[in-house]
Amino acid sequence: MAGSALVLGAVLGYGLRVPQKVIALVMAFGAGVLLSAVSFELIGESYEQAGLGPAAVGTLAGAAAYTVGNLWLARRGARHRKRSGHHSGQAQPSEEEQNGSGLALALGALLDGIPESAVIGVSLLNGGAVSAVTVAAVFISNIPEGLSSSAGMKKAGRGKGYVFGVWGAIAAASTVSAVLGYAVVGGFSAAVIAAVTAVAAGAILAMIADTMIPEAFQEAHLAIGLVTVSGFLVSFALSHA
């Protein structure tokens, strides 16, 4: 369900001319929702399970792993993978402009999506129910991601088969990631589960800071502060309902 939002956003971004400011505002709202979910559902849960040490180490490790992967992919053409290509110099490159950029874009989307989905599976380990807040946060944040990125792919000259193939594959990989998060991590100790949860949280935090907020600010400027806080409060209210 959470991963399907990527495909939905891709369909909207490829087929409709959505105003850039609307995309940016939805991106900012999604970032706020994710920030709240990471704080209270992931890092908070990790801290309660194993204390500050595993939570802090896991969060830093996740952020570092994401940053390294993102730097590697950025040098191969995936730096602006969440951008729709509206601004010159900040558009996704075509395959002719940078050979291999198509694969880098796909891997970048995978890098962004896997941590979010893994924690959904891990959340099943704590009481047997998926965290509705985490699913809602991932769903809301995935729509503008798919929307903006698919619009940029279209502008870079990539066809429907590539665009929907990428996002369909990422949605499928998200499902597998959630299953693995439950099946593999379930056999570990509480401290390891807490650390894995924190690793995913750190990767998500790094992704928000590196890709979502810059894209939102580029189009909506100072308005994103209020919108991001609104998303944060909606997610906070859901987690305490």
Side-chain angles (χ1 to χ4, degrees):
M1 177 179 168
S4 68
L6 290 169
V7 180
L8 174 60
V11 170
L12 294 174
Y14 196 90
L16 302 176
R17 189 180 294 275
V18 182
Q20 299 294 321
K21 194 166 186 176
V22 172
I23 298 175
L25 291 174
V26 177
M27 188 83 77
F29 186 85
V33 171
L34 270 182
L35 284 169
S36 181
V38 167
S39 301
F40 298 104
E41 297 290 316
L42 302 183
I43 295 180
E45 183 67 29
S46 177
Y47 173 78
E48 290 179 5
Q49 284 184 317
L52 180 61
V57 171
T59 301
L60 288 172
Y66 177 88
T67 300
V68 170
N70 193 45
L71 284 172
W72 186 83
L73 289 168
R75 292 171 180 170
R76 286 155 179 80
R79 180 180 179 185
H80 300 302
R81 59 184 176 273
K82 279 190 171 68
R83 298 186 183 273
S84 58
H86 182 64
H87 292 280
S88 60
Q90 295 182 337
Q92 299 176 18
S94 65
E95 197 65 25
E96 290 75 20
E97 292 172 327
Q98 186 165 353
N99 187 38
S101 60
L103 177 60
L105 288 168
L107 292 175
L110 186 66
L111 177 68
D112 295 339
I114 291 302
E116 299 171 344
S117 302
V119 295
I120 292 175
V122 172
S123 71
L124 279 165
L125 301 173
N126 303 316
V130 174
S131 168
V133 175
T134 303
V135 173
V138 174
F139 185 92
I140 292 171
S141 65
N142 277 347
I143 291 178
E145 179 180 342
L147 198 159
S148 181
S149 185
S150 66
M153 289 176 179
K154 181 180 180 181
K155 191 166 185 179
R158 294 185 167 90
K160 290 182 181 179
Y162 173 85
V163 174
F164 299 132
V166 164
W167 292 114
I170 300 306
S174 297
T175 303
V176 173
S177 177
V179 172
L180 291 176
Y182 174 77
V184 176
V185 181
F188 297 146
S189 66
V192 174
I193 293 174
V196 170
T197 302
V199 167
I204 295 170
L205 281 173
M207 183 270 292
I208 293 170
D210 192 73
T211 61
M212 293 185 73
I213 290 178
E215 164 69 4
F217 182 81
Q218 187 69 37
E219 300 294 341
H221 303 297
L222 299 180
I224 73 162
L226 180 60
V227 176
T228 302
V229 171
S230 298
F232 184 95
L233 289 175
V234 167
S235 182
F236 178 80
L238 286 173
S239 67
H240 289 77

